[in-house]
Amino acid sequence: MKREALLDSAVSEIEYSIKTKHTKSEEVHEHYLRNAIRFIQEAKEVNERGGGMKKCKVIINENKETIEANFYGVFQKAWGHGKYSTTGDYTPGQVAYPVAVVDWGEGLTEVNVADVVEVAE
């Protein structure tokens, strides 16, 4: 489970325990609170492993040297081209291709998808 989902689950368990405090037994409340604690502990472990972020290796030069980075995913980069004006000169067109977004410690960087040579959990 991702960190956010674990924390959301913990909040739900605590909220349920509070909402039902007058209608459920102490054992039931303890069960939900223990679940909440477990979810929070799991979220901490995910955070210690890098927040659940996938790691990857990215080719950084012509010599095929790689660097380890956080892998954010593959996205479509797209933009329109040609004439776009309100006077009627309209030439439709669009360029689009996939890019990978990674971070090797210098902020988010867009790289060619083929330069991502390995992705690991």
Side-chain angles (χ1 to χ4, degrees):
M1 234 190 251
K2 290 188 177 184
R3 178 180 49 211
E4 294 82 13
L6 289 164
L7 293 174
D8 287 344
S9 295
V11 168
S12 293
E13 296 288 304
I14 293 167
E15 287 175 341
Y16 183 80
S17 182
I18 291 169
K19 287 178 187 175
T20 62
K21 77 178 191 176
H22 297 297
T23 60
K24 302 288 182 185
S25 71
E26 286 298 316
E27 288 177 8
V28 171
H29 291 291
E30 185 176 329
H31 167 79
Y32 286 103
L33 294 175
R34 286 190 189 282
N35 280 345
I37 291 168
R38 182 175 51 86
F39 289 134
I40 292 168
Q41 288 170 334
E42 287 180 29
K44 284 174 60 179
E45 290 171 9
V46 168
N47 196 49
E48 289 169 3
R49 291 190 312 260
M53 180 64 57
K54 291 181 179 182
K55 299 290 184 188
C56 69
K57 290 187 179 176
V58 181
I59 297 172
I60 57 170
N61 58 30
E62 301 82 33
N63 297 328
K64 304 276 186 198
E65 292 178 283
T66 62
I67 189 168
E68 189 171 291
N70 287 326
F71 179 76
Y72 283 82
V74 175
F75 303 90
Q76 179 173 292
K77 181 173 185 170
W79 65 92
H81 65 86
K83 298 177 184 176
Y84 292 93
S85 75
T86 57
T87 62
D89 294 329
Y90 183 78
T91 306
Q94 184 179 36
V95 175
Y97 61 90
V99 295
V101 177
V102 300
D103 180 4
W104 55 72
E106 298 178 8
L108 296 179
T109 304
E110 174 188 304
V111 298
N112 185 320
V113 173
D115 290 340
V116 178
V117 293
E118 186 179 310
V119 177
E121 294 284 332

